[in-house]
Amino acid sequence: MSVVPDTTTKIAFTDNDTKFNTDGVTFIVNPYDELALTKGLEIAEANGGTVTVCHVGSSSSDAAIRKALSIGASEAIRIDAEPLDSQFVASQIAPIAKEYDMVITGRESIDYNGGAVCGLLGAELNWPSVNVVTEIAVADRKATIEHDIDGGREELEVNLPVVVSAQKDLCEPRIPNMKSIMQARMKPLNVVPAIEVTQQSEYHTYDLPPAKQGVKLVDASDPAALVEMLKLEKII
Amino acid sequence: MAILVFVETQDGKYKKAGLEAVSYAAQMNAGEVTALCIGEHEGLDAVAKIGASSLVVLPDMGHFDAQKVSSAISQVASNLNVDTVVISNSYAGKDIAPQIAGQLKASLATNVVSLPNAQGEVTRGVYSGKAFAQVKLNGAKKVLAITPNSFDILDNTQTAAMKEVDVTISEGGVVLKELKKVTGKIPLTEAEVVISGGRGLKGPENWNLVEDLADELNAATACSKPVSDMEWRPHSEHVGQTGITIKPNLYIAIGISGAIQHLAGVSSSKTIVVINKDPEAPFFKAADYGIVGDAFDVIPKLTEALRNN
């Protein structure tokens, strides 16, 4: 699970564009990870079993982790380290994940958009991995999975253990209620130290897309004029 | 130095995004470029004229099983001792890039939108299109997944030859049950022109307006989040922060107000046209061209004008 800026956040950077400006930013559970968690709970309820939430980050993530516990996870593991990149995160999660039957990640985090943790875990654990999953059903340690591919969808069958990444259509995220929020306070949140890994990448600077020059308006009565303009600029 | 490029194919033809990857590798100017494809392909010349000096063809493995494919590509990369593997950032590419990086113990960057600069940094899209980051990959080996429509395909003819590499095709863990191909449709992430509809279209029954315009421009169709949430259109068409991030040459938004989450997914489009009856719609501030008018009146005229052109 990743903790990310709320989707309405206006992105800005500080320290000579080397750091994300967290001033006034609300941090949330990554939306795709909420789906992953909900689906995990559905599968555990149907087959017996429990769901553990795993996160790489500092104690500033604890509120979001409590939210995940209130949604229904039985326990949480926080690996106490700055999540440097997808490869760092996957290397930290892998030794924990290998004790489980299934790992569900989000399709991507909405901050770094790497979309790589699922595949990286597959490679590290030597488990099959299936990306951008829109449906999963598990029975007799076999998962039937539907996932998006370029220009379509396919249905696959795979034996557990497996690692998959959650896409939007997978389920409706579960909303915690007052009782589950109270219960979440009592659930274990285990903090473990990070293992030593080689840092594969370094984020140096950030920038924002260039601003638009200003819109050229075309009269609604004459859309053909737009076609002329687009042709003139060789856009079409 | 040597670079290996996976060129995706569809029905035996090289995909444009795959050719972009070959041209990207050639423009890196960092050594010999080997193109790799699987199964039926278009031959050596098509990749040689844009910078590849050899082509490796792996046997057809049937269904695209990411584990099988990445293991085979990793074997070729090791065998040829390449430093960099370049892949297109499609669904298939994003499926295999991390696995190849894992298998080769290479550093990985996805969503790449620039060539490496003098410091060896590449630019990648972050915050779902709201920003870019300059990233330095530390590993001696690198895997780069490059965003479609980010690089031109440049002529750069090489003397080229086919290359044979022995690979062991692994078993693969997944079994294909059913394939639901949306045929005749252009994948959104690779489309050069995208026509997108929002709540302003009032209901799914009016999508013929979007589709007719898309037909004239050979475009893919997309939609805003409310439209996919209301199930007027499938989620696979949803562009925006929690949907797909796209980078077409031309993006035409019809009846979409332009919430920050939507803009995040489309702001990298080269040219943005906004058609909305509300002159105050925030999208106009992010647009290159705009028409303030009723979609039901403007779009048929626009489609007609294109047809007559």
Side-chain angles (χ1 to χ4, degrees):
Chain A
M1 174 187 108
S2 293
V3 177
V4 297
D6 176 71
T7 58
T8 58
T9 306
K10 204 166 180 313
I11 303 298
F13 300 98
T14 60
D15 292 11
N16 289 324
D17 292 332
T18 58
K19 278 199 178 75
F20 175 67
N21 185 353
T22 56
D23 279 358
V25 174
T26 310
F27 284 87
I28 58 166
V29 175
N30 183 47
Y32 293 111
D33 301 348
E34 255 185 59
L35 302 179
L37 171 58
T38 304
K39 195 66 197 182
L41 293 167
E42 288 174 13
I43 293 168
E45 283 155 12
N47 292 269
T50 58
V51 176
T52 302
V53 165
C54 188
H55 172 73
V56 180
S58 69
S59 59
S60 64
S61 302
D62 285 354
I65 295 173
R66 288 285 168 208
K67 172 159 186 210
L69 291 170
S70 72
I71 291 170
S74 318
E75 60 167 337
I77 299 170
R78 177 166 65 77
I79 295 145
D80 194 22
E82 194 60 33
L84 300 171
D85 58 29
S86 324
Q87 291 180 284
F88 179 86
V89 170
S91 302
Q92 298 299 330
I93 296 175
I96 295 169
K98 68 174 196 290
E99 308 297 328
Y100 290 80
D101 300 301
M102 182 183 253
V103 176
I104 314 181
T105 70
R107 168 167 84 85
E108 62 180 26
S109 65
I110 63 166
D111 52 2
Y112 281 78
N113 309 109
V117 172
C118 173
L120 288 165
L121 281 175
E124 281 214 28
L125 298 167
N126 201 20
W127 290 5
S129 70
V130 185
N131 230 355
V132 283
V133 164
T134 55
E135 225 176 282
I136 318 169
V138 177
D140 302 329
R141 295 193 59 80
K142 195 175 272 225
T144 309
I145 299 172
E146 202 171 85
H147 81 140
D148 282 348
I149 55 169
D150 298 293
R153 242 174 218 190
E154 58 183 19
E155 193 183 301
L156 306 170
E157 203 172 75
V158 58
N159 290 324
L160 301 187
V162 65
V163 49
V164 300
S165 75
Q167 163 73 319
K168 187 71 179 293
D169 286 349
L170 186 60
C171 55
E172 286 299 319
R174 243 178 233 191
I175 314 290
N177 57 33
M178 196 42 88
K179 190 174 160 219
S180 68
I181 292 168
M182 299 300 283
Q183 282 169 343
R185 292 185 188 166
M186 311 302 290
K187 289 180 178 173
L189 194 174
N190 304 311
V191 180
V192 301
I195 54 168
E196 195 130 331
V197 295
T198 316
Q199 186 176 347
Q200 296 286 0
S201 64
E202 287 164 33
Y203 280 76
H204 288 167
T205 52
Y206 298 85
D207 50 38
L208 299 171
K212 289 282 181 187
Q213 296 300 314
V215 60
K216 293 189 190 88
L217 287 176
V218 176
D219 198 275
S221 63
D222 189 18
L226 175 65
V227 176
E228 292 304 322
M229 288 165 110
L230 294 176
K231 289 196 77 140
L232 197 67
E233 296 290 330
K234 297 193 168 28
I235 296 162
I236 56 172
Chain B
M1 300 281 274
I3 308 166
L4 180 68
V5 185
F6 173 51
V7 189
E8 280 181 59
T9 50
Q10 187 171 14
D11 306 323
K13 299 258 185 245
Y14 295 134
K15 286 174 84 168
K16 180 170 165 282
L19 297 176
E20 287 170 4
V22 175
S23 190
Y24 175 93
Q27 290 169 60
M28 282 174 73
N29 242 331
E32 197 175 305
V33 176
T34 300
L36 177 152
C37 64
I38 299 170
E40 207 189 327
H41 60 94
E42 271 180 86
L44 184 59
D45 289 353
V47 288
K49 73 173 188 206
I50 56 170
S53 49
S54 51
L55 174 65
V56 173
V57 180
L58 295 180
D60 192 346
M61 298 176 215
H63 153 252
F64 189 94
D65 178 332
Q67 223 187 356
K68 239 173 164 166
V69 172
S70 31
S71 147
I73 295 175
S74 296
Q75 290 175 51
V76 175
S78 299
N79 191 304
L80 301 178
N81 207 10
V82 304
D83 317 283
T84 306
V85 179
V86 179
I87 297 170
S88 146
N89 202 54
S90 59
Y91 275 139
K94 273 200 269 202
D95 228 341
I96 59 172
Q99 303 202 34
I100 294 171
Q103 287 153 2
L104 296 177
K105 306 263 177 270
S107 299
L108 169 72
T110 57
N111 285 349
V112 173
V113 295
S114 82
L115 286 160
N117 65 13
Q119 290 76 45
E121 299 167 340
V122 289
T123 304
R124 56 180 305 269
V126 291
Y127 295 100
S128 308
K130 287 178 184 170
F132 296 99
Q134 279 72 46
V135 188
K136 171 89 195 290
L137 297 184
N138 295 331
K141 290 182 180 172
K142 299 173 177 66
V143 175
L144 304 175
I146 66 163
T147 302
N149 289 335
S150 300
F151 300 96
D152 292 329
I153 300 169
L154 304 179
D155 282 340
N156 180 358
T157 304
Q158 301 289 317
T159 317
M162 300 298 287
K163 207 179 257 179
E164 297 270 336
V165 179
D166 278 338
V167 297
T168 314
I169 307 293
S170 64
E171 279 277 323
V174 296
V175 180
L176 178 67
K177 305 290 283 184
E178 196 189 347
L179 183 63
K180 296 169 191 166
K181 264 271 195 254
V182 188
T183 46
K185 275 217 158 187
I186 305 154
L188 251 181
T189 48
E190 294 163 38
E192 289 182 69
V193 182
V194 174
I195 317 290
S196 188
R199 251 184 308 196
L201 283 165
K202 296 199 166 72
E205 66 280 8
N206 298 321
W207 237 257
N208 60 318
L209 287 175
V210 174
E211 278 159 356
D212 290 351
L213 181 58
D215 281 347
E216 289 306 321
L217 289 165
N218 197 22
T221 58
C223 69
S224 65
K225 182 168 186 290
V227 164
S228 83
D229 284 350
M230 289 184 291
E231 296 182 358
W232 293 0
R233 303 294 294 176
H235 177 67
S236 55
E237 285 197 2
H238 162 201
V239 292
Q241 185 149 17
T242 53
I244 296 170
T245 302
I246 54 168
K247 198 182 176 187
N249 288 327
L250 174 61
Y251 181 70
I252 303 183
I254 305 164
I256 300 176
S257 63
I260 188 167
Q261 296 95 327
H262 185 78
L263 296 181
V266 303
S267 61
S268 294
S269 308
K270 287 204 186 83
T271 301
I272 295 178
V273 175
V274 169
I275 298 160
N276 202 301
K277 67 179 177 187
D278 174 11
E280 301 298 321
F283 216 152
F284 283 116
K285 289 201 178 69
D288 299 285
Y289 298 91
I291 297 180
V292 180
D294 187 345
F296 294 90
D297 175 43
V298 172
I299 302 305
K301 282 186 192 157
L302 183 59
T303 307
E304 184 65 28
L306 282 163
R307 194 170 293 146
N308 296 334
N309 220 290

